[in-house]
Amino acid sequence: MFEPVISVAISDAVLAFSSLFGVFLMAQFRSFEPGRRLPATVALLAFGLVAAAAGLGTLRYGFSAIWTEPHRMLYQAANYLSPSLLAAAIAATVWNWPLRKQDWGSILLGLMACFELMRRLEWLDAWHLVLSAAALLLMTAAIITRGERKPTFTAFALTGVCAYFIGGLVIGTEGKLAGFLRMDLFHYLLALGNLCLASGFFHYLRGKSN
């Protein structure tokens, strides 16, 4: 018999709405400079994957177990693709990497191929840790290098990175902490990270290149 986990359903809903906020901001890519539109589209995909996975999580934990498998699949996609895609989008914008559609397609296919290889080797946990740490380091490096010239971007983006770091690499998703499910804390910190990074990156994208 299905037993809802209301706290997880609520925290998933909060995460979904925060991700949709990122989707909304990145969807305005036509107002950005031409060289920034592709990275914005990639960031939109990253936020969109998280929004879809979190939305299915709300259905799974709040309404019916029939959503378990679709949620598991989208959760994995968001977990292994979104941080890297968002980090690459920020780095490409800040450092003016002239990446074309084919390059972004290669990055996406490479991430998917690595996921499948690690799944077959049963190294997914280690791969996720390496991938998450690399994405956080890349974002941090990109943010810091523009710190003096873009203080608003830096403040929002570094807060977002810190929220991601604490949620993903410190809190985790298993068990409880101070009476709260770690999964809930993870979701709320991820939501905070989404709001801050989306706001900071949008502010950067709307600015002028220099």
Side-chain angles (χ1 to χ4, degrees):
M1 182 177 179
F2 173 72
E3 294 184 8
V5 186
I6 300 302
S7 67
V8 177
I10 292 172
S11 64
D12 254 326
V14 170
L15 177 57
F17 280 113
S18 74
S19 303
L20 287 174
F21 174 73
V23 169
F24 169 74
L25 293 184
M26 296 303 112
Q28 301 179 52
F29 61 86
R30 289 186 178 85
S31 66
F32 306 150
E33 293 181 356
R36 296 179 173 183
R37 291 173 187 172
L38 265 179
T41 304
V42 171
L44 186 155
L45 173 61
F47 286 121
L49 282 172
V50 178
L56 287 179
T58 297
L59 295 175
R60 170 186 177 179
Y61 291 107
F63 296 95
S64 173
I66 195 174
W67 298 101
T68 298
E69 188 59 23
H71 172 250
R72 186 189 67 80
M73 293 175 62
L74 262 180
Y75 176 81
Q76 282 193 332
N79 222 15
Y80 288 90
L81 295 177
S82 291
S84 298
L85 291 176
L86 184 56
I90 292 173
T93 304
V94 167
W95 291 329
N96 295 315
W97 290 345
L99 298 180
R100 300 165 299 171
K101 288 183 180 179
Q102 302 94 307
D103 300 320
W104 287 110
S106 297
I107 291 172
L108 180 59
L109 289 175
L111 288 169
M112 294 169 67
C114 286
F115 169 81
E116 181 59 24
L117 176 62
M118 295 302 159
R119 187 185 68 83
R120 291 177 180 273
L121 295 174
E122 299 184 350
W123 292 350
L124 275 182
D125 289 342
W127 174 240
H128 179 251
L129 182 62
V130 170
L131 205 58
S132 298
L136 290 173
L137 286 172
L138 181 60
M139 281 191 276
T140 302
I143 294 163
I144 289 175
T145 58
R146 301 296 289 187
E148 295 181 359
R149 284 176 278 183
K150 304 284 185 179
T152 302
F153 162 70
T154 302
F156 273 106
L158 280 181
T159 302
V161 169
C162 288
Y164 283 169
F165 173 78
I166 296 171
L169 300 181
V170 177
I171 300 296
T173 59
E174 301 294 331
K176 291 186 175 183
L177 179 65
F180 297 96
L181 288 175
R182 288 178 181 265
M183 179 69 79
D184 288 336
L185 298 175
F186 169 72
H187 286 162
Y188 290 129
L189 282 165
L190 213 59
L192 173 62
N194 285 345
L195 293 174
C196 291
L197 264 176
S199 299
F201 193 34
F202 177 74
H203 182 270
Y204 191 98
L205 289 166
R206 288 293 299 271
K208 297 294 183 182
S209 298
N210 48 30

